[in-house]
Amino acid sequence: MPLMIDIAAVVEDVIASTPVIDIHTHLFAPELGALGLWGIDNLLTYHYLEAELFRSCSINPRQYWELEKSAQSDLIWKTLFIENTPVSEATRGVISVLNALGLDTHAESLKEAREFFNQMNLADHVTNVLRIAGVSSVVMTNDPLDPNEAAEWNAGHEPDARFHAALRLDRILTDMSGSTGAAVRELLDTWVARMKPFYMAVSLLDSFKFPSEEPASRLLTEAVLPACRDWNIPLALMIGVRRQVNPALRLAGDGVGRADLRSVEVLCSRFPENRFLVTVLSRENQHELCVYARKFSNLMPFGCWWFLNNPSIVEEITRERLELLGTTFIPQHSDARILEQLIYKWRNTRRTLAPILTRSYELLAQDGRQVSREDIERDVRRMLRSNFEQFTNRVA
Ligand code: RAT
Ligand code: ZN
């Protein structure tokens, strides 16, 4: 019988000291030129905060987009951080980042923060941020049809080993909707060879249906699924977006809708040689996703995506997954777009995850089995690292 341990303390310690593989971000390796975003002006003009600005300030989106980036971030700081208390998840995140970097969280202006970031050496800063965030590597979002991004890859730069590629399909499936399966397959083969992605990924509308008459359905069948199978890489499906519900808000203008997950059932059962990483945006779809994961071992649920990445909802979803799937899921990804967001997003995930796991182990102890530190280490390692490595068949 293992020794009695202070479960809460050990869980907290193990979660804090296990480096995370962040399986979906919008960050870029420094080698990929100016694509990567970092610093105070980018942190404050994050689209999650832009959506919040328009609720508390009379400026309209058209006027806001005409401003320089620094004027936009000044306005967001003044509105959401000085005239209001930053209690929302996205605003509190900025406070958490400033605090972690030793900057004034009560500042009247962004002067000090701008100076701090201006004198930064990017390579050192990346290492420092990853260290503070407890992240060992991140997966990027790489779109071969983005001309700026393609130019960087074609220049032959080798990305930093802590930044892994994911081949994003959204634009391919729309811009090449009239192309043959063979043409899309050829493009995918070229880019898999160039990027060596850990997976291919696509975000899909709440109305996504497979199979269907839509070109995306045909291209998935004729090109994407065979390519993933032949290259032995999973396909990530991110389902439930309602694009541009309010186009004036640009990136902040997307919404959410409940999807029919029978399409996931069809994909997992008709393509048993493919593996699917799946995240769903609607809270109402979460339970079904867990049930499907119990039916299909080629399905790996991951993350609490976008509007779900709030402690109350993360807690509910993570408990549900643990109860239905044990540790066979990937609890979270950060979706960070700005480097320093890794700090707050992973701090928040760890803080939410610790009491959930502790509670599960306490229930288990009450029912007659005490866990050891080694059990906890193995479980946390699986959820924060090895489930992803095993599912992708790669060391990350
Ligand atoms: O969470 C986000 O930042 C969204 O804007 C999306 O980028 C989403 O995560 C996606 O990858 O489509
Ligand atoms: Zn994303």
Side-chain angles (χ1 to χ4, degrees):
M1 241 225 330
L3 288 175
M4 286 278 276
I5 53 170
D6 177 346
I7 295 177
V10 174
V11 167
E12 204 172 303
D13 184 47
V14 171
I15 288 181
S17 57
T18 305
V20 167
I21 301 169
D22 191 344
I23 81 154
H24 169 59
T25 75
H26 297 262
L27 302 176
F28 288 95
E31 292 72 15
L32 296 176
L35 296 173
L37 298 178
W38 54 290
I40 190 67
D41 290 307
N42 287 315
L43 278 170
L44 285 167
T45 53
Y46 185 34
H47 68 87
Y48 291 27
L49 293 173
E50 289 174 332
E52 293 176 31
L53 170 74
F54 298 116
R55 301 196 53 73
S56 294
C57 175
S58 59
I59 194 168
N60 67 41
R62 198 177 33 75
Q63 294 163 328
Y64 173 81
W65 299 120
E66 277 167 12
L67 301 175
E68 299 274 333
K69 184 175 271 196
S70 57
Q72 293 174 338
S73 57
D74 282 335
L75 180 64
I76 291 182
W77 180 256
K78 175 167 153 296
T79 307
L80 299 180
F81 295 82
I82 298 176
E83 295 170 358
N84 287 281
T85 312
V87 288
S88 73
E89 179 71 2
T91 52
R92 194 162 45 74
V94 175
I95 295 299
S96 175
V97 169
L98 295 178
N99 192 45
L101 297 175
L103 295 165
D104 182 6
T105 58
H106 289 279
E108 286 296 319
S109 82
L110 299 176
K111 187 167 173 293
E112 180 207 21
R114 287 194 178 118
E115 280 166 11
F116 173 85
F117 286 107
N118 280 343
Q119 50 81 40
M120 196 63 79
N121 169 296
L122 183 55
D124 295 343
H125 186 51
V126 168
T127 301
N128 197 30
V129 168
L130 292 176
R131 182 187 54 76
I132 299 173
V135 172
S136 60
S137 61
V138 304
V139 181
M140 307 178 279
T141 295
N142 304 102
D143 177 2
L145 296 193
D146 176 333
N148 296 326
E149 181 164 356
E152 296 294 342
W153 286 100
N154 288 334
H157 306 304
E158 194 60 40
D160 182 312
R162 297 166 297 181
F163 290 74
H164 306 304
L167 201 170
R168 185 74 174 223
L169 301 168
D170 294 37
R171 208 184 301 208
I172 296 178
L173 294 183
T174 14
D175 291 9
M176 296 183 73
S177 59
S179 305
T180 62
V184 172
R185 174 67 200 256
E186 198 183 321
L187 181 98
L188 294 176
D189 286 347
T190 304
W191 282 95
V192 170
R194 193 162 303 162
M195 291 176 170
K196 304 181 191 65
F198 271 60
Y199 57 84
M200 295 194 202
V202 58
S203 77
L204 297 159
L205 301 183
D206 60 327
S207 55
F208 171 64
K209 204 164 163 6
F210 184 92
S212 76
E213 298 303 312
E214 297 286 320
S217 179
R218 175 179 64 82
L219 292 177
L220 281 173
T221 310
E222 293 176 5
V224 175
L225 290 161
C228 284
R229 190 195 56 221
D230 295 347
W231 287 95
N232 193 21
I233 56 179
L235 173 61
L237 305 170
M238 309 171 68
I239 309 171
V241 190
R242 292 192 58 225
R243 290 280 175 219
Q244 297 297 280
V245 170
N246 183 356
L249 301 190
R250 300 191 181 173
L251 211 49
D254 293 343
V256 53
R258 183 183 181 150
D260 180 353
L261 293 195
R262 262 174 264 205
S263 301
V264 171
E265 173 183 331
V266 173
L267 283 162
C268 291
S269 63
R270 289 207 199 147
F271 299 89
E273 291 178 275
N274 281 89
R275 302 189 299 287
F276 300 93
L277 286 155
V278 181
T279 198
V280 284
L281 194 51
S282 162
R283 184 181 176 197
E284 288 69 28
N285 280 137
Q286 302 302 325
H287 184 253
E288 283 165 276
L289 179 64
C290 289
V291 174
Y292 279 127
R294 292 176 66 89
K295 310 297 134 192
F296 300 105
S297 60
N298 59 342
L299 193 174
M300 175 66 80
F302 77 95
C304 301
W305 180 26
W306 203 341
F307 311 114
L308 301 168
N309 191 357
N310 301 304
S312 59
I313 301 184
V314 173
E315 182 178 340
E316 169 185 294
I317 295 174
T318 308
R319 276 191 197 288
E320 189 171 60
R321 288 175 176 171
L322 263 178
E323 287 163 358
L324 279 160
L325 304 173
T327 56
T328 64
F329 66 99
I330 297 167
Q332 193 53 305
H333 63 270
S334 75
D335 237 311
R337 276 172 191 268
I338 295 98
L339 177 68
E340 300 83 8
Q341 290 173 339
L342 291 173
I343 295 174
Y344 88 81
K345 295 201 182 221
W346 284 107
R347 176 180 157 87
N348 292 359
T349 295
R350 287 183 159 100
R351 185 163 53 192
T352 308
L353 190 56
I356 298 174
L357 265 186
T358 299
R359 179 78 187 130
S360 307
Y361 295 137
E362 281 169 357
L363 289 174
L364 183 61
Q366 283 168 21
D367 289 340
R369 180 159 163 176
Q370 183 73 39
V371 289
S372 65
R373 184 179 180 98
E374 290 68 36
D375 293 329
I376 298 172
E377 283 170 353
R378 182 190 54 196
D379 293 349
V380 170
R381 207 177 162 76
R382 280 189 182 154
M383 288 193 283
L384 300 185
R385 301 188 62 78
S386 56
N387 285 343
F388 180 67
E389 291 187 311
Q390 270 171 24
F391 205 70
T392 53
N393 255 311
R394 297 268 292 273
V395 176

